[in-house]
Amino acid sequence: MAPDEEWDDEEWDEDYEETILGFSPLTFKLASVSSVLVILMLVLSLVLTSFGFYSGVAHLKVMIDVEEHYSSDDIILNAEVMANSPLFGSLESEGDYKVVYDGEVRTTGKVVLGDDGRDSISLPYEDFFVDNGDYTLTVMFGDKQVSDSVELNMVAKTVTCTIFFIGHDICDGDLCDPVLTTITFGSSEDPLNSKTVAPTGSGEIEVYFYNNDAPTESEKYDTAYWNNDNSRPRDDWELVQTITFATELNSGYWQYDGGSVEEFAISNFQMSLDPDYFRQNQDGDYTMSVSYNNTYVSEVEGADFEQKDGRSDWRWFFLEGKG
């Protein structure tokens, strides 16, 4: 064809194909749709925990209730599990948990995350509790795991009867009637690390009388005189009353030998003892010996069955004889 010859319309239509950025319109459209789909899938994987190219967990956290065992009658372990899906992945919804005490697994279970990546765990202490100490809750999703720990104290290691006066107080007016006594339970034999606990169990208090003259003026205010047995030989103590009692967290009862059943004061183990149940005809000193046996989760291997023995604190108090 000569340079000056012109193309007619039919020849132009047959030989020319329109392109977009070097691609045919169909190819360009397919590429655009694919790109949009890829972007949409990426956005969905970032927004929806249930959508992604694979299943897994990115960030995992478990947190035991910050007020766990804050109250002595708390008997359920509560914890929250939180997780995020991995980049471009869906959230793995099912995991496992375990509770470990003293290096041994005490209980296990499943964690099932909701669409928000959360789950709650509620475990009665009786399902895993063995003895006072630290318990570790571990949550596992595949090879990813996190833990949180809490100290739980449910059994008594020590027991005492707290007397709300020392010798000189008892001689003034009617302060000896009633004799206010609180049974106090400790979580450890180490006084520096012991915490007050409200255990489940039973025990008894033996009240002893020691025939003695009224305290002198110096003895009235001598705390050492009232808090040791040095001047009161054990062979001369006379058992004058036995009080049985039982406790269950912050409730319970106590009973004189041959007397009626009395409930402990609300929220503690305080007794208002009527001294006439054990007062003798002559002046003298009195002391209390207390014993206690834990019964909480007694069927669990390793539970503490050993009897706990203690004394009143102050050890001695004075009562005038019956008129």
Side-chain angles (χ1 to χ4, degrees):
M1 180 181 295
D4 55 350
E5 292 180 352
E6 296 181 357
W7 292 84
D8 59 29
D9 292 340
E10 292 182 359
E11 292 175 326
W12 176 265
D13 291 339
E14 292 177 358
D15 294 342
Y16 175 76
E17 182 177 353
E18 183 181 0
T19 63
I20 302 176
L21 299 178
F23 298 97
S24 69
L26 178 60
T27 301
F28 183 83
K29 289 179 180 178
L30 291 175
S32 298
V33 171
S34 299
S35 298
V36 170
L37 289 175
V38 170
I39 293 173
L40 178 61
M41 292 177 68
L42 292 176
V43 171
L44 289 175
S45 68
L46 294 174
V47 174
L48 301 178
T49 60
S50 59
F51 184 88
F53 301 105
Y54 60 96
S55 178
V57 169
H59 303 289
L60 180 63
K61 183 177 182 180
V62 59
M63 184 175 67
I64 296 175
D65 187 351
V66 294
E67 294 187 354
E68 188 65 34
H69 205 45
Y70 179 81
S71 173
S72 58
D73 59 358
D74 188 358
I75 57 173
I76 296 179
L77 176 71
N78 292 294
E80 291 290 327
V81 180
M82 295 151 281
N84 293 331
S85 55
L87 186 63
F88 306 136
S90 63
L91 182 63
E92 185 175 349
S93 62
E94 187 171 301
D96 300 279
Y97 70 78
K98 62 182 179 181
V99 176
V100 175
Y101 169 77
D102 197 25
E104 294 188 14
V105 177
R106 301 305 309 181
T107 190
T108 61
K110 292 291 184 181
V111 176
V112 180
L113 300 175
D115 292 337
D116 58 355
R118 292 174 175 266
D119 190 21
S120 298
I121 298 176
S122 294
L123 297 174
Y125 291 171
E126 62 184 1
D127 287 354
F128 61 85
F129 185 88
V130 181
D131 205 346
N132 298 340
D134 293 329
Y135 289 78
T136 300
L137 172 65
T138 300
V139 174
M140 301 155 287
F141 282 81
D143 59 354
K144 185 177 289 294
Q145 65 179 38
V146 294
S147 300
D148 196 10
S149 298
V150 63
E151 181 183 354
L152 302 179
N153 297 295
M154 297 293 293
V155 298
K157 297 299 180 179
T158 62
V159 57
T160 58
C161 295
T162 303
I163 307 296
F164 288 91
F165 50 78
I166 62 173
H168 69 275
D169 295 319
I170 199 63
C171 300
D172 298 329
D174 295 326
L175 289 178
C176 62
D177 190 4
V179 177
L180 296 178
T181 304
T182 296
I183 304 177
T184 304
F185 302 97
S187 63
S188 171
E189 294 181 359
D190 179 1
L192 296 179
N193 295 312
S194 184
K195 300 176 177 62
T196 299
V197 298
T200 297
S202 60
E204 66 177 27
I205 297 172
E206 294 179 331
V207 183
Y208 290 90
F209 168 73
Y210 176 75
N211 187 9
N212 198 14
D213 295 331
T216 64
E217 286 301 313
S218 62
E219 288 171 341
K220 286 182 180 180
Y221 300 92
D222 185 356
T223 57
Y225 175 79
W226 297 109
N227 218 26
N228 67 68
D229 305 326
N230 293 343
S231 60
R232 306 169 181 90
R234 182 65 175 83
D235 292 341
D236 294 332
W237 297 4
E238 179 185 352
L239 178 62
V240 293
Q241 180 60 241
T242 299
I243 302 170
T244 57
F245 66 92
T247 62
E248 185 171 351
L249 301 178
N250 280 326
S251 64
Y253 71 87
W254 53 276
Q255 183 179 24
Y256 298 110
D257 183 14
S260 60
V261 174
E262 305 283 348
E263 292 186 357
F264 281 113
I266 297 175
S267 299
N268 60 37
F269 303 116
Q270 185 179 105
M271 303 181 295
S272 298
L273 299 180
D274 182 352
D276 286 341
Y277 272 95
F278 50 83
R279 190 198 301 267
Q280 301 303 292
N281 292 323
Q282 62 268 48
D283 295 350
D285 297 335
Y286 294 80
T287 189
M288 297 181 185
S289 176
V290 57
S291 61
Y292 187 79
N293 290 94
N294 295 291
T295 59
Y296 185 77
V297 294
S298 57
E299 71 279 5
V300 175
E301 182 181 355
D304 188 346
F305 294 104
E306 182 180 355
Q307 178 174 296
K308 312 303 176 185
D309 297 308
R311 290 284 300 281
S312 51
D313 182 21
W314 307 88
R315 286 197 175 186
W316 293 91
F317 58 94
F318 176 81
L319 290 178
E320 295 177 336
K322 293 181 179 178

